[in-house]
Amino acid sequence: MKKLLSVVLAFVMVMSAFANAPIANATENISEWDIYFELNEDGTGYKVTGCYAFATGVLNIPESYSGLPVIGIGSNAFYFAANITDVILPDSVEYIEDSAFSMCQNLESITFGSGLKSIGIQAFVGASALSSVTLPKNLISIGEFAFADCSSLCFVTMGNKIQKIGENAFKNTAFYDDTSNWTKGILYIDNNLIKARSSVKNVCIKDGVKTIADGAFGESTSLSELIIPQSLRYIGDGAFGNSKGLNYTFYMGSKAQFNAISKGKQNNKLSLSSIHYNTDCHTYSEKWTVDIQPTCTEEGEKSHHCTQCESRIDITPVPELEHTSSEWITDKKATVNAKGKKHKECTECGEILKTAAIKQLKCSKPKLSKIENTSSGVKITWGKVNGADSYEVYRKTTGSGSYKKIGKTSKTYYTDKKASSGKKYYYIVKAVNEAGVSSSSGSLSKLYLADPTLKTPSSTKKGITLKWSKVTGAEGYQVYRKTGSGSYSKIATVKGNSKVTYTDKKAKKGKTYTYKIKAYKSKVTSAYSNTKAIKAKY
């Protein structure tokens, strides 16, 4: 019995010794047997897809499994793995997929291997105990919200190969929320621009920056001017997507270098701004440019313009111009019963400068004084009318017909050159000035007879023979003669329209005679024909 009690006591003592031993040493590293692996489709390596739910402590991912390298951490692999306190990744791991360690609230540290190139979306979101992150030198991309809500994360360092930083990758971290980490409204991590405040207006990105994160200026609606260093290589998606006020961009390198920068989607606000190259400021011309032309009533504006854009300085008023007066403009014509109105206005702005009345029409009707046939047509003559600027001539062909205007002249006579020989015409005249047209003159009529054309006469034994052209409407012709420099006298009347020849039998040998002809009808005669001279030979 005592022997049995001794055995039991010894067993209890052994068990107590195990119970009081430090358990941490036994559970410090999560066993490789508790980690789940999945072979890639191409069979070249494995990725980790998770671990035993109750595994606790340090997750030390092996560099290989079943003779092949471990190259990645799969999506959601350790999502909400609350028992993981530390993660160590080997150099073989090249990628961490989306949400791989999200909500690992007790994760205090992570050691990245040198081969890591990409970190997925929300890969460490909500890892609230994580306080420090040193990203490997070969890392190329970080997904959006990758370290968001890591509330204790106050220290981050990156390598120089980063090309892509997702939007809000470090939002709501201790580093992000610490205002001392922001420089003039800009948050940088090493040579990377992470975020800009919404209030920034004029931004000079610090020299050495290579990458601008996605959506970095997405809330900066007030951004108006931006200076970009020559060191910049990558601009993320939507980095300037909502920078609607961005007017001017200054790039410290050449146009070719700017075009070589990798630019993500939705950055049209940047490309639409006025881009200046090889400078960090505007270069203004010394010459003045008139931006607003002055008028007669308002000042203009001039300034010095940037040589590469429309930015301007030294905005200076240009004095208003003096008015330039027009000639008188008639607003209302005067009549024989009322005055009219007229004004002068500025030819530049249209402002009325002067007004005046137009005198009531005092223009008397003209008085016809003479009507006669001429070699050019029917000539009408009248007396001058005071105040008249010109005269209008009207004609009709019958006593009961209506008058039609045939001409206008500033003289006191007019010749109707379109009259037809043998026809009778009636004429009236009206005076005209700026106020209007006077009443009609009295009427005068005239039968128009064209003047004959005298042909070269011939001297015969019977006398000097004359011939001329036939005149329409004539009843006959009157022959006139003069000797030497004497005066003309009518020597014969030849009756009959068609009789267009006459022999002067009284011409004396050796004397020189000059002849001319008139056509007649009743008491109306034409103008004289041309003259012809001849010496009688017989």
Side-chain angles (χ1 to χ4, degrees), residues 46-110:
Y46 284 90
K47 70 176 178 179
V48 176
T49 59
C51 70
Y52 174 58
F54 295 102
T56 302
V58 178
L59 178 63
N60 193 344
I61 303 297
E63 190 161 355
S64 63
Y65 178 77
S66 295
L68 293 175
V70 177
I71 59 175
I73 310 297
S75 299
N76 301 296
F78 300 99
Y79 178 74
F80 250 115
N83 296 327
I84 296 177
T85 59
D86 303 274
V87 173
I88 301 172
L89 301 179
D91 293 342
S92 62
V93 171
E94 297 177 1
Y95 60 87
I96 299 174
E97 292 184 346
D98 299 348
S99 302
F101 295 96
S102 64
M103 304 310 294
C104 290
Q105 296 175 351
N106 292 311
L107 179 61
E108 296 179 356
S109 70
I110 179 165

Side-chain angles (χ1 to χ4, degrees), residues 147-413:
F147 293 92
D149 297 326
C150 293
S151 55
S152 298
L153 183 60
C154 60
F155 179 81
V156 182
T157 185
M158 294 184 183
N160 290 324
K161 294 185 178 181
I162 291 289
Q163 299 178 17
K164 176 81 170 176
I165 302 174
E167 189 170 2
N168 297 313
F170 297 92
K171 189 173 184 179
N172 296 332
T173 62
F175 180 84
Y176 187 98
D177 295 338
D178 186 348
T179 57
S180 66
N181 291 327
W182 293 70
T183 304
K184 296 182 179 180
I186 306 294
L187 181 64
Y188 298 98
I189 297 179
D190 298 333
N191 290 330
N192 306 285
L193 192 155
I194 305 302
K195 189 66 176 178
R197 300 284 192 197
S198 61
S199 58
V200 295
K201 293 183 179 180
N202 301 322
V203 172
C204 178
I205 298 174
K206 72 176 185 178
D207 192 27
V209 167
K210 291 186 176 181
T211 302
I212 298 177
D214 294 354
F217 290 88
E219 299 171 5
S220 305
T221 56
S222 299
L223 180 64
S224 60
E225 291 191 4
L226 177 70
I227 300 174
I228 298 176
Q230 193 174 345
S231 59
L232 188 66
R233 295 291 181 269
Y234 307 98
I235 298 175
D237 293 343
F240 298 95
N242 200 30
S243 301
K244 57 185 178 182
L246 182 57
N247 294 319
Y248 307 109
T249 298
F250 304 96
Y251 179 60
M252 301 300 292
S254 67
K255 184 176 182 180
Q257 289 173 316
F258 180 81
N259 291 337
I261 295 173
S262 175
K263 303 174 186 70
K265 299 176 291 184
Q266 298 177 345
N267 281 302
N268 59 316
K269 296 295 189 296
L270 176 64
S271 59
L272 291 175
S273 67
S274 179
I275 303 175
H276 299 54
Y277 303 101
N278 297 308
T279 184
D280 61 355
C281 63
H282 294 286
T283 303
Y284 292 98
S285 171
E286 295 182 358
K287 294 182 179 180
W288 288 101
T289 297
V290 177
D291 304 300
I292 301 175
Q293 292 290 345
T295 68
C296 305
T297 56
E298 294 184 0
E299 290 183 337
E301 196 172 83
K302 64 180 181 178
S303 63
H304 290 118
H305 280 223
C306 174
T307 57
Q308 297 191 51
C309 71
E310 291 302 312
S311 177
R312 54 197 186 115
I313 58 172
D314 303 329
I315 299 171
T316 305
V318 179
E320 62 187 51
L321 304 173
E322 294 183 359
H323 291 296
T324 303
S325 178
S326 68
E327 298 297 326
W328 284 109
I329 299 172
T330 300
D331 302 307
K332 179 183 178 183
K333 289 185 177 182
T335 66
V336 293
N337 299 314
K339 293 180 180 180
K341 293 180 180 179
K342 61 183 179 179
H343 75 274
K344 290 183 178 181
E345 63 183 37
C346 176
T347 56
E348 298 295 328
C349 69
E351 182 177 335
I352 295 176
L353 305 178
K354 191 175 181 180
T355 61
I358 301 174
K359 292 181 179 179
Q360 185 175 335
L361 183 61
K362 300 295 183 181
C363 202
S364 302
K365 64 182 180 180
K367 292 181 180 179
L368 300 186
S369 58
K370 188 178 181 181
I371 187 167
E372 59 185 323
N373 286 328
T374 70
S375 59
S376 300
V378 180
K379 181 180 179 181
I380 311 101
T381 305
W382 55 88
K384 183 178 179 180
V385 175
N386 290 333
D389 297 323
S390 61
Y391 303 90
E392 294 178 348
V393 181
Y394 295 80
R395 183 186 77 178
K396 65 179 181 178
T397 55
T398 63
S400 59
S402 58
Y403 285 100
K404 293 183 179 180
K405 186 169 74 172
I406 61 170
K408 186 174 183 178
T409 180
S410 59
K411 299 176 181 178
T412 55
Y413 60 87

Side-chain angles (χ1 to χ4, degrees), residues 478-506:
Q478 298 173 349
V479 182
Y480 292 82
R481 184 187 74 180
K482 73 173 183 176
T483 304
S485 59
S487 58
Y488 282 100
S489 60
K490 184 170 67 172
I491 61 171
T493 298
V494 179
K495 295 182 180 180
N497 176 264
S498 299
K499 193 171 181 179
V500 291
T501 184
Y502 174 76
T503 300
D504 180 8
K505 298 178 180 180
K506 294 182 179 181

Side-chain angles (χ1 to χ4, degrees), residues 389-502:
D389 297 323
S390 61
Y391 303 90
E392 294 178 348
V393 181
Y394 295 80
R395 183 186 77 178
K396 65 179 181 178
T397 55
T398 63
S400 59
S402 58
Y403 285 100
K404 293 183 179 180
K405 186 169 74 172
I406 61 170
K408 186 174 183 178
T409 180
S410 59
K411 299 176 181 178
T412 55
Y413 60 87
Y414 180 83
T415 300
D416 179 8
K417 296 180 180 180
K418 294 184 178 180
S420 298
S421 184
K423 285 189 176 182
K424 186 177 182 179
Y425 296 96
Y426 299 80
Y427 297 91
I428 60 171
V429 178
K430 296 179 181 181
V432 181
N433 64 11
E434 64 175 339
V437 181
S438 74
S439 55
S440 302
S441 68
S443 174
L444 285 179
S445 63
K446 191 70 175 179
L447 172 68
Y448 176 57
L449 291 176
D451 52 314
T453 299
L454 182 60
K455 300 176 183 180
T456 301
S458 59
S459 178
T460 65
K461 292 181 178 180
K462 293 181 178 180
I464 295 175
T465 301
L466 306 173
K467 292 182 180 181
W468 56 86
S469 62
K470 178 180 177 182
V471 175
T472 302
E475 292 178 346
Y477 305 91
Q478 298 173 349
V479 182
Y480 292 82
R481 184 187 74 180
K482 73 173 183 176
T483 304
S485 59
S487 58
Y488 282 100
S489 60
K490 184 170 67 172
I491 61 171
T493 298
V494 179
K495 295 182 180 180
N497 176 264
S498 299
K499 193 171 181 179
V500 291
T501 184
Y502 174 76

